[in-house]
Amino acid sequence: PWPKRSLPPQRLTPPTQPDPNSVRESENAVVLESGRRSGRGLSARLRTRRLEGPPPPLHQRVLVHRFPMSEQQRLFADEPVEWELDDAEERLVATVLFPRGPAAEFDYIVPDRWRGVIQPGQRVRVPFGKSDRTVVAYCLRVTSKAVGRKPLKSIEGLVDREPLLSPAMVRLTQWMALHYLAPLGQVFETVVPAGVRQQAGTRKTVLLSLAPNAKELLRDLKLKEKQLQIAKKLFGDPPPMTAQQWARLCGCTPAPIQTLRKHGLLVTAEARIRTREHDEAPVAQRANLVLNPDQQAALDAILRQLNSREHRTVLLHGITGSGKTEVYIRAIQEVVRFGRQAIVLVPEISLTPQTKHRFRERFEEVAVLHSHLTDSERHWHWQRIAEGRVPVVVGARSAVFAPTPHLGLIVMDEEHEGSFKQDSTPRYHARDVALERARDEGVPLVLGSATPSLESFLRAQRGEYDLVELPRRVEGRPLPDVVTVDLRVDFVDKLSRGALSRQLAIAMNQALEQGGQVILLLNRRGFSTHIQCPACGSVLQCPHCEIALTHHVADQIALCHYCDYQIPAPAKCPECTFPGIRYGGFGTQKLEHEVRARFPRFRCLRMDTDSMQSHGSHEKALEQFRAGDVRILLGTQMIAKGLDFPNVSLVGVVNADTALHLPDFRAAERTFQLLVQVAGRTGRGERGGRVLIQTFNPDHPAIQAAVRHDYQTFAAGELPIREALGYPPYGAMARLVVRGPREKQAEAFAQQLAAEIQMAFTARSVAARTLGPAPAPIAKLRDNYRFHVQFQSLDANGLRAAISGATSGAKPPDDVQWIIDIDPIDML
C-alpha cells in the first residue's frame, strides 16, 4: 500500500465530479486539477488522500474507482476507501454591489497589490457579465474566505483613493435598505452626492515632490549655480506642488524645475486638485444671548444627555418665538468645545441661509448642504466636513448623511415637516434616519418643533423620548391674536370677489401705515388654479395627467405642475370655441397682482417655487424683506416656518382650507401645523402682532385649535381617531403604487401583488389590513394610470418582512412599474 501521510485536520465539502482528463499520477497520491478560474488562471487543487478514522457522511464520499485508475490503484482498490477533500484556497475577497442593475451582492478576488488598500465604502472597477464589461461598484466588505471551486473574477481598479463612506455610514445604508425595502446599491448612490462621486470642481494634474534620496543625489550631481540655489530652497519640506507652483516658490521659470526633475531630485505623482475655492466672506461674531429660565432648563436637559455619552432623543416642544435656536446653539458650542461636530437639519431651503447666518455669527466654520448648491460647492463642503475641519453642518434632509468623522450631536428643527421625507427611492424620512444614526454612533438627537408630529409626541408621552417644553416666548412677549374670517359670509353677501376679504384688506392697510410688515400665505402656485368654459362646462386638463392646468400669467401659459406639460393660455374654449372662457381660482401670482393693485405704495415680493429658481434667490429675497425694502411678503408654505422678522405685525392666511379636505389621514394635522407655524411669524418684536385666517370652515377642530395655539387640545382630539383606525403613530403603514400606460394591465398587476402580499401576511401570521387596490387620488400621471394599495399593521417588522418576501421576485409586465413606500407621507 502507499505510505500513509500525516495531514492536518481539513474541512470536508461536497465534491464536484472532475474532468477525467485532468487526472494525473503522483508518487504518493492522485492529484486532480480543477478547472475553476479565479481571474488569474487555475487555482485550488483537489487531492485524493487516505484518511484514518471513521469515514465521512455518504454525500461527501467519492470512490476512487469511479475515475480512471492506474494499475497500482486497481491493485489496492480493496483497501479502505479513500475520500476526496476540497482543499479550498483562502483568498482575500471583496463583496461589492452595484448602484444600478442586479440588487444581489457579488464577490471578487482582491489582487495582492491592493491588499490593505480596498476598504468598505470605496468604489472599485470590476468586470461584470459574460462580456466582462467594466462597471463601477461599491465595496461593502472585505473578508478572507475559502473560495472553493466557485469561479471568481478579480477587481480591476480603484475609483477612489479613500472610502466615500465610513464604517458607521455603511451600517446606516444597510439599515436604510432593510427598513425602506430599497436596493442597497441605490441607497449608496443616494447617500453620496453626485458632485462627490464625480469629484466636481477638481482636475487631474501632476504634482512634484522631493525624492526620498534627494540629498544623496545632490552630492553626486553637478548642477549649475542657479540650479543649486533652487535645489537648496526645496529642502524646506514643502508639500507636493505643480511645476508652476514650485517655480513661484523658488522665484524662477519652470525650466530649472524640469531639469531637477530629470535628474531625479523631484518625483512625480498624479493627483486631483481643486480648480476653485468657495471661501465666503467672514461674518462678525456675536456674543451669546442671555437665556431665560425655560431655555436654561432645556439646555441643561440636553447637556445631561451629552455628558452621559449615550444616545437619547430629546423632543424640544417650544412655542413659536420661544428661543429654540439659541438652545441649539448653546448645546452645539458644548459639542464643539470637545472637538466634536454637529449636524443641524432644517426643512426648507428658504430656512437654510437664515439658519446658516445665525450659526456663522457663533462659529467660524459652518458648512451648508442643500439641493440648490452646485456640484462643485457640494463637493467642496463634503471634503471639508470629511476632513473634520467644519464643526457645524447646516442643511436640508440630505445633510443627515454629512460625513462627519467626529459626530457629537444631531439637531432637527421643525421635525414635523413633511419635506423631510424623500419622494424617490429610497423613500427615507430624515427623522428616522437621524434617529438610527444617532443611536448607532451613540450621540444625542434633539427634535425641535412648536407643533411636533404626533409620532414624536406619542413617543415622548410613552417615555421613549425626553420631553422638554418651552411654554413662553422670549422676553415675555405674548402670542399673537388669531381671528378667523368666515368666507361664507363674504361669498353670500358678495362683499369681495378677490383673494383678500374686506377685513384682511383693512388690517393690511393699518399695519403698513403704522410702519409694519405683512406676510400673506397662499399654498397654491400660479395665477388661476383652473380654466373652465361656462358654456359647455369643460375644464382644461393635462392630457398626460388628467389634472386641471394652472394659468401662469407671466408667461401666458397653462401649465401642469406634475409633468410640466404646457400650452398657450387659450382665449376661447378649445371644445366649443366660446369666447368667454373663465380663469378661476387663486394662486400666488393672482394674489400678487391684487396686492400690487390695492397697495401700490408698498413694495411686494412673491416667494414660491416659480420665483425662487435662480441660485441665491432665497437669500436675496429674505435679505430685502429683513432690511425693510420689501413691506409685503407673500408666498407658499416656504414662508410659513422658521423665519424670524421682528417688524412683521400682521400675517394673513388667504385660504386655510387648501389642504384640509385632501384624501389623507394627516390632512387635519398638516393644516393645524401650517396655521400655527405661519401665525408664529408675527409678534416677535415690539410692535406685537395679529393673524387673520380666511376659511370656509371656521368651526373645524384643527382651525379652532390653531386659533388658540393649543397643541395639547389638538393632539387629544386627533390621537384617539388614529388609534381607532390603526393609523400611525399607533400602527405601521406601507403603500404600494402601481402605474402603467394601460389601465387594465396596471390594475391587474396591482391586484396580483396585493394578493401575494396578503398571502405572505397569512403565512407569517402577521395581522394586517389591506385596502385596495383602487385608483390613486391622482389617477393618471404622466400618461400612466395609477393604482394604490394600503397596508396597515401593529407589527412593523412583520409588515416589512412579509412585503419584502412577497415582492422580491415580482416581475411586472412590460411598461408597468411599481414602488413600495414604507411609512408614507404623501397619499396622493
Side-chain angles (χ1 to χ4, degrees), residues 3 7 18 51 54 59 76 83 111 117 120 136 216 223 234 259 266 329 331 511 595 606 622 643 699 729 775:
L7 299 176
L51 299 180
H59 74 277
F76 299 107
W83 333 110
V117 178
V136 174
E216 291 79 1
L223 301 177
L234 303 181
T259 301
L266 294 173
I329 290 174
V595 169
R606 172 169 54 92
L622 295 177
L643 302 179
D699 298 325

Side-chain angles (χ1 to χ4, degrees), residues 226-545:
K226 179 65 174 175
Q227 294 172 346
L228 188 60
Q229 292 176 0
I230 294 173
K232 290 180 179 179
K233 288 184 179 181
L234 303 181
F235 284 96
D237 196 24
M241 292 182 288
T242 64
Q244 291 77 11
Q245 290 172 327
W246 280 104
R248 285 196 297 269
L249 177 67
C250 300
C252 65
T253 65
I257 301 298
Q258 295 298 340
T259 301
L260 297 177
R261 176 184 173 184
K262 291 178 181 178
H263 287 305
L265 289 172
L266 294 173
V267 294
T268 62
E270 192 177 76
R272 281 192 170 269
I273 62 172
R274 182 160 291 281
T275 55
R276 59 167 293 199
E277 295 294 329
H278 299 276
D279 293 328
E280 299 170 317
V283 175
Q285 295 297 290
R286 181 179 178 183
N288 288 335
L289 303 179
V290 177
L291 301 181
N292 62 32
D294 293 332
Q295 289 175 304
Q296 188 62 54
L299 177 60
D300 292 342
I302 297 173
L303 293 182
R304 281 195 296 272
Q305 304 306 328
L306 286 171
N307 295 330
S308 70
R309 303 190 179 216
E310 294 180 354
H311 163 71
R312 187 68 182 172
T313 299
V314 177
L315 177 60
L316 183 58
H317 179 200
I319 64 172
T320 56
S322 59
K324 294 186 291 294
T325 302
E326 186 65 25
V327 175
Y328 303 153
I329 290 174
R330 297 289 282 274
I332 293 172
Q333 285 177 340
E334 186 73 8
V335 171
V336 173
R337 193 164 67 89
F338 286 96
R340 308 297 292 275
Q341 296 167 287
I343 297 174
V344 182
L345 303 176
V346 293
E348 294 280 354
I349 294 175
S350 60
L351 298 181
T352 308
Q354 175 180 280
T355 308
K356 177 188 173 185
H357 182 78
R358 286 183 175 180
F359 279 89
R360 288 198 67 201
E361 289 180 330
R362 309 292 185 88
F363 305 94
E364 293 183 0
E365 292 285 345
V366 177
V368 60
L369 297 174
H370 57 74
S371 60
H372 277 207
L373 294 177
T374 65
D375 285 345
S376 178
E377 289 172 330
R378 185 179 287 269
H379 186 205
W380 180 69
H381 284 299
W382 183 277
Q383 281 189 320
R384 294 166 63 229
I385 296 168
E387 292 167 1
R389 293 191 289 150
V390 182
V392 182
V393 181
V394 176
R397 63 172 175 261
S398 61
V400 73
F401 306 123
T404 49
H406 313 297
L407 183 61
L409 177 67
I410 301 177
V411 174
M412 190 172 186
D413 196 24
E414 311 293 357
E415 64 87 27
H416 64 278
E417 272 299 320
S419 58
F420 280 123
K421 173 78 171 178
Q422 173 90 345
D423 59 0
S424 59
T425 304
R427 290 172 167 77
Y428 69 91
H429 197 299
R431 180 184 60 228
D432 298 328
V433 174
L435 177 61
E436 178 62 25
R437 183 175 183 183
R439 182 186 293 125
D440 181 69
E441 300 194 37
V443 301
L445 169 64
V446 177
L447 305 175
S449 177
T451 55
S453 63
L454 292 178
E455 287 85 350
S456 297
F457 182 72
L458 185 63
R459 287 180 177 179
Q461 294 293 310
R462 291 172 171 173
E464 299 174 33
Y465 295 168
D466 293 339
L467 179 61
V468 179
E469 296 190 282
L470 296 175
R472 288 172 284 274
R473 282 189 157 188
V474 295
E475 300 180 2
R477 296 191 183 108
L479 286 166
D481 294 329
V482 182
V483 178
T484 58
V485 177
D486 193 342
L487 293 179
R488 295 173 297 183
V489 176
D490 273 17
F491 187 83
V492 171
D493 294 342
K494 299 183 179 179
L495 298 176
S496 172
R497 280 294 178 264
L500 304 178
S501 64
R502 189 170 68 89
Q503 297 96 314
L504 181 54
I506 292 173
M508 288 178 63
N509 188 66
Q510 291 176 347
L512 294 170
E513 292 294 344
Q514 294 171 3
Q517 292 176 293
V518 176
I519 289 179
L520 297 178
L521 171 71
L522 176 59
N523 211 19
R524 285 286 184 270
R525 293 163 51 199
F527 191 84
S528 299
T529 56
H530 62 276
I531 305 171
Q532 187 174 23
C533 175
C536 68
S538 65
V539 176
L540 200 62
Q541 288 188 327
C542 172
H544 308 291
C545 302

Side-chain angles (χ1 to χ4, degrees), residues 17 73 178 206 213 283 316 360 369 435 520 529 555 575 585 672:
Q17 184 88 354
Q73 288 176 286
L178 289 173
V206 175
N213 59 341
V283 175
L316 183 58
R360 288 198 67 201
L369 297 174
L435 177 61
L520 297 178
T529 56
D555 302 315
E575 298 293 331
F672 169 79

